[in-house]
Amino acid sequence: QSALTQPASVSGSPGQSITISCTGTNADIGAYNHVSWYQQHPGKVPKLIIYDVSERPSGSSNRFSGSKSGNTAFLTISGLQAEDEADYHCSSYRSATLVFGGGTKLTVL
Amino acid sequence: EVQLLDSGGGLEQPGGSLRLSCAASGFTFRRYAMTWVRQAPGKGLEWVSTITGVDRGGAIYYADSVKGRFTISRDDSKNTLYLYMDSLRAEDTATYYCTKMIPNSGWPFDYWGRGTLVTVSS
């Protein structure tokens, strides 16, 4: 069982927006603004798309945005495209360790 | 261009040991914290161990699941990160990724190696 809780799957149609949640505790997400999100296509290496809750690294699409409320972080993908179909993993810093969620499979209908 | 070339995986029996390596290039290796992350087949990501850069004194951190069995180290003269894995268990079976961390932030990993598969089975 993962330390952070994500929905197993979400889906959306091209052009729509979807949001993936990532729920932790007041020892990780609630305590630090250090949530990251990774996109992983099948058979590929994870790619960082959001860090420190809402920062986008160079090369990450501006269709990805992040936010946080209490012990839950959110990844929003706007203007869904077929290429967004992938697994999404959240992580949070937790006092000299790091915890991940179990991952969410995004299906673009 | 940043490159991370991880290697050393393979098939090992329970109780055995392996050493993974990660050759880094394209950045000033000694200044950056580095981390091993693993992914069991069909599962999510799991943080394994982190070693900070020279500016943070090479501090080391381990996940509880590997503490006492795995040892992370780095050779800044060779731009190489290592993970020595001892007392291997079936649940250590995973692809192990070497990652580079963004400094002064909450441990995000901006570059990943291609991964090296470790299989623990008799």
Side-chain angles (χ1 to χ4, degrees), chain A residues 2-15:
Chain A
S2 301
L4 305 179
T5 301
Q6 298 181 236
S9 63
V10 298
S11 63
S13 299

Side-chain angles (χ1 to χ4, degrees), chain A residues 20-106:
Chain A
I20 299 172
S21 63
C22 173
T23 301
T25 70
N26 55 16
D28 38 64
I29 293 178
Y32 306 96
N33 289 323
H34 290 326
V35 177
S36 298
W37 290 90
Y38 300 87
Q39 177 192 59
Q40 185 178 29
H41 289 105
K44 301 297 186 181
V45 174
K47 175 187 176 184
L48 179 68
I49 54 175
I50 293 288
Y51 71 99
D52 286 355
V53 177
S54 59
E55 297 296 314
R56 271 195 312 275
S58 173
S60 177
S61 171
N62 59 11
R63 296 186 299 104
F64 297 119
S65 62
S67 62
K68 188 186 89 166
S69 177
N71 296 338
T72 300
F74 303 94
L75 171 70
T76 297
I77 307 175
S78 59
L80 265 183
Q81 300 179 1
E83 67 201 47
D84 298 329
E85 185 160 295
D87 292 329
Y88 292 83
H89 307 270
C90 64
S91 71
S92 175
Y93 178 81
R94 179 200 280 179
S95 186
T97 67
L98 192 84
V99 289
F100 279 100
T104 297
K105 180 175 179 58
L106 169 62

